Amino acid sequence: MSDATDTADENIPEHLVAHFTSRVGHNSDDLIEGETGPWEIVIGMEVHAQVISESKLFSGASTEFGGEPNSHVSLVDAAMPGMLPVLNIAAVRQAVRTGLGLEAAINLRSVFDRKNYFYADLPQGYQISQFSDPIVGEGRVSVDLEDGESFEVGIVRIHLEQDAGKSIHDRHPTQTYIDLNRSGVALMEIVSKPDIRSGEEAAAYLAKLRSILRYLGTCDGNMQEGSMRADVNVSVRRPGEDLGTRCEIKNVNSLRSVREAVDYEARRQVEILEEGGEIDQETRLFDADRGETRSMRSKEEAHDYRYFPDPDLLPVVIEQSFVDEIKASLPELPDAKAARFASEFGLNAYDAGVLVAERETAEFYEAVVDPDGARRDPKIAANWISGDFFRRLNADDLEIADSPVSASQLGGLLDLIADGTISGKIAKDVFDEMFDSGNDAADIVEAKGLKQISDSGEISAIVDQIIADNPAQADEYRGGNTKVAGWFTGQVMKATQGKANPQMVNQLLQEKLGG
């Protein structure tokens, strides 16, 4: 559950106040031009990330997704009288790991509080969360945009808390069903500073955060299953002026929805202000089908929740050696990996960014380009993975782990291109055959007789014949229209079923047409 004061300016430490007014739009395109002048969008986000762990935050019940309703529920999760919570140390470890991945301060002492409110699917009548003493303090995330620009989002804190259950209203006309399978599942609430200035930036930040957590192995980032969702706080102001009244858009669960929700909400607020109205601080829902936000409830403040330290849980005290041990086990994260890909493989920033966005893609790329030190062309490998390989995965709705073409097999295909066995054009057909059959490239090329024709004598004879059969086009070329050469190349490739060596074809055509 979100903390109503997460980005409230009254809770901003004095040393951070200047930060809140220091950024006036990422660029002028981010400003909204209203009837009375420009408006700046200010966005802070609270991302709820489900911790990867086998059991819940305070019980041994399973965290497995799905299952029959109420099949993953312990007496603690159901709040039976006399049941006491026992902290899952695996969840603590994952929160610390996440904090280190976000370059954040780790608090060696943190406290669990009770956040008091009533929901039908919250059997305790309160949520065990962290408020004044979270386990992770301030950090940062560097975010890259598609235009190559970068910006930084500050992290206020990360705290651990329980998830609620699920209320089901559409199975019976007069009854509501309750499923407590998610009740007590460990969440990390990652609270950002309001450093975001557009829907595009908000989506890019969420994508980068998701990527880092997946690299760390602390959250699977599966937004469709609800294991990662965002509360988006949106306000508008005149550039450089004080923060405006914000509205929180609750539980947005896709990058596209984040972008659309911000764009709609910001324009809604601008229209109200320009007509002389005021923004009501409230929680809103985003209707993805209609592309609009609508009011859910008035926004509570922290004091409405009556936070107090949970009397059943002692403060969490960890040793620095515990933190150091986790830090030593961190993997290479996306930014560091992109920098290494640029320096080691000579990739440009765009290619490196695409390849490191997902850990599985980066590992696949390295397995293709550098198996056992046998370096293949890094740029060609990058083009194939971000091009044809992604095209087929998307068309077949597959993840890399389910790809019928392994890194070794794709590498084998690139080897056939590199040694001249097949042309790049033939390689695309071979790749599709590999994807459909799972067979190796060499076997497909051999079985279908697709080896490239690199015999100059054979190609020369074909070129001669085509020029002889098409004297008008030959005269046109010799008359100065050199673009006709492309037509001749196509005829040669057609005659050889795409197997002629393109470089040799072009060279011979120039010699023979020129003569």
Side-chain angles (χ1 to χ4, degrees):
M1 293 297 162
S2 118
D3 179 345
T5 64
D6 287 335
T7 55
D9 48 359
E10 64 267 27
N11 284 342
I12 299 168
E14 186 175 349
H15 69 284
L16 291 175
V17 170
H19 175 83
F20 276 61
T21 57
S22 63
R23 192 160 184 243
V24 185
H26 181 68
N27 56 54
S28 59
D29 293 338
D30 294 335
L31 299 178
I32 297 177
E33 285 297 332
E35 295 289 336
T36 59
W39 296 85
E40 182 182 20
I41 310 173
V42 179
I43 304 163
M45 294 176 68
E46 300 151 16
V47 176
H48 293 85
Q50 179 177 331
V51 174
I52 292 178
S53 66
E54 294 183 357
S55 56
K56 296 182 179 179
L57 185 54
F58 298 116
S59 81
S62 171
T63 58
E64 184 178 346
F65 178 78
E68 290 297 315
N70 298 306
S71 60
H72 299 158
V73 185
S74 74
L75 295 174
V76 172
D77 307 321
M80 289 292 108
M83 296 298 104
L84 295 175
V86 177
L87 180 60
N88 180 357
I89 189 64
V92 174
R93 181 181 291 275
Q94 292 286 58
V96 171
R97 187 174 176 83
T98 301
L100 292 170
L102 301 182
E103 302 178 36
I106 306 301
N107 296 323
L108 300 183
R109 181 184 184 278
S110 61
V111 174
F112 279 101
D113 297 277
R114 288 187 179 183
K115 183 179 181 181
N116 294 278
Y117 62 98
F118 174 79
Y119 277 155
D121 53 15
L122 187 67
Q124 295 166 138
Y126 57 85
Q127 179 189 34
I128 302 178
S129 181
Q130 295 186 313
F131 179 53
S132 58
D133 299 287
I135 190 163
V136 176
E138 290 193 32
R140 59 181 288 277
V141 176
S142 178
V143 182
D144 303 316
L145 297 173
E146 289 186 0
D147 63 6
E149 296 287 340
S150 298
F151 68 103
E152 189 171 287
V153 177
I155 300 298
V156 177
R157 68 171 185 268
I158 303 173
H159 59 255
L160 281 167
E161 65 182 23
Q162 298 171 297
D163 203 354
K166 181 180 180 183
S167 299
I168 304 166
H169 304 293
D170 58 357
R171 300 291 177 84
H172 193 280
T174 60
Q175 297 180 17
T176 291
Y177 297 115
I178 303 295
D179 179 4
L180 296 179
N181 277 353
R182 292 190 64 87
S183 176
V185 166
L187 300 178
M188 296 177 288
E189 182 168 332
I190 304 168
V191 182
S192 85
K193 297 175 183 175
D195 290 341
I196 304 165
R197 293 293 181 269
S198 68
E200 181 191 4
E201 289 190 359
Y205 164 70
L206 187 58
K208 184 61 175 291
L209 194 60
R210 179 177 180 271
S211 173
I212 293 173
L213 266 56
R214 285 166 59 87
Y215 266 80
L216 292 167
T218 57
C219 174
D220 65 20
N222 191 329
M223 303 183 78
Q224 289 75 25
E225 295 179 358
S227 57
M228 192 169 182
R229 53 192 191 269
D231 298 342
V232 188
N233 286 280
V234 180
S235 65
V236 297
R237 65 178 179 184
R238 296 295 188 187
E241 293 188 354
D242 292 340
L243 292 173
T245 302
R246 73 191 185 283
C247 290
E248 179 188 61
I249 310 168
K250 195 76 175 170
N251 288 334
V252 188
N253 64 355
S254 76
L255 301 181
R256 178 180 177 181
S257 291
V258 165
R259 189 164 44 242
E260 292 180 349
V262 168
D263 292 344
Y264 176 87
E265 179 60 21
R267 292 191 176 278
R268 185 189 74 85
Q269 294 184 19
V270 167
E271 287 182 11
I272 292 173
L273 293 172
E274 294 211 318
E275 291 173 358
E278 295 182 351
I279 304 301
D280 295 327
Q281 183 171 318
E282 60 182 357
T283 298
R284 300 178 68 85
L285 291 175
F286 178 65
D287 185 331
D289 293 330
R290 303 178 65 174
E292 63 184 28
T293 66
R294 60 174 182 266
S295 182
M296 179 181 175
R297 61 174 183 262
S298 62
K299 180 69 176 175
E300 300 87 351
E301 298 292 351
H303 58 257
D304 294 321
Y305 290 114
R306 300 293 190 272
Y307 281 98
F308 63 86
D310 192 299
D312 291 333
L313 291 163
L314 291 170
V316 180
V317 178
I318 56 178
E319 301 289 339
Q320 184 59 45
S321 58
F322 178 81
V323 178
D324 294 340
E325 174 200 340
I326 296 171
K327 189 172 186 178
S329 71
L330 294 183
E332 183 182 39
L333 295 176
D335 289 346
K337 194 177 286 290
R340 180 169 64 80
F341 279 13
S343 63
E344 187 174 339
F345 299 130
L347 298 181
N348 59 40
Y350 176 80
D351 286 339
V354 169
L355 293 171
V356 307
E358 296 289 347
R359 182 174 182 171
E360 294 80 4
T361 304
E363 292 174 348
F364 189 90
Y365 173 74
E366 289 203 87
V368 170
V369 77
D370 197 18
D372 303 322
R375 181 68 60 88
R376 296 188 172 103
D377 188 299
K379 178 60 177 173
I380 291 176
N383 289 345
W384 269 90
I385 291 172
S386 59
D388 291 77
F389 186 63
F390 279 0
R391 171 181 61 80
R392 283 304 304 261
L393 287 178
N394 292 333
D396 293 42
D397 196 22
L398 294 175
E399 301 290 335
I400 282 184
D402 304 318
S403 169
V405 176
S406 68
S408 173
Q409 287 177 303
L410 180 56
L413 176 67
L414 301 189
D415 289 342
L416 295 181
I417 301 171
D419 66 14
T421 301
I422 57 175
S423 66
K425 183 177 185 305
I426 290 289
K428 292 181 179 296
D429 296 333
V430 173
F431 176 75
D432 280 330
E433 176 85 16
M434 294 168 67
F435 215 93
D436 292 334
S437 66
N439 293 332
D440 290 344
D443 294 339
I444 294 170
V445 169
E446 187 65 33
K448 294 198 168 186
L450 298 175
K451 287 185 178 178
Q452 185 167 251
I453 301 171
S454 296
D455 183 322
S456 61
E458 185 177 353
I459 296 176
S460 179
I462 296 170
V463 169
D464 286 340
Q465 187 62 52
I466 289 177
I467 291 175
D469 291 344
N470 298 279
Q473 286 83 352
D475 289 342
E476 191 176 346
Y477 178 90
R478 289 167 181 141
N481 184 9
T482 57
K483 293 181 179 178
V484 180
W487 181 85
F488 276 106
T489 300
Q491 295 303 305
V492 175
M493 299 308 288
K494 182 179 180 182
T496 60
Q497 297 178 312
K499 293 187 287 185
N501 184 311
Q503 288 75 29
M504 295 183 70
V505 170
N506 290 331
Q507 182 180 348
L508 287 167
L509 278 170
Q510 284 185 5
E511 292 174 4
K512 294 175 183 294
L513 287 170

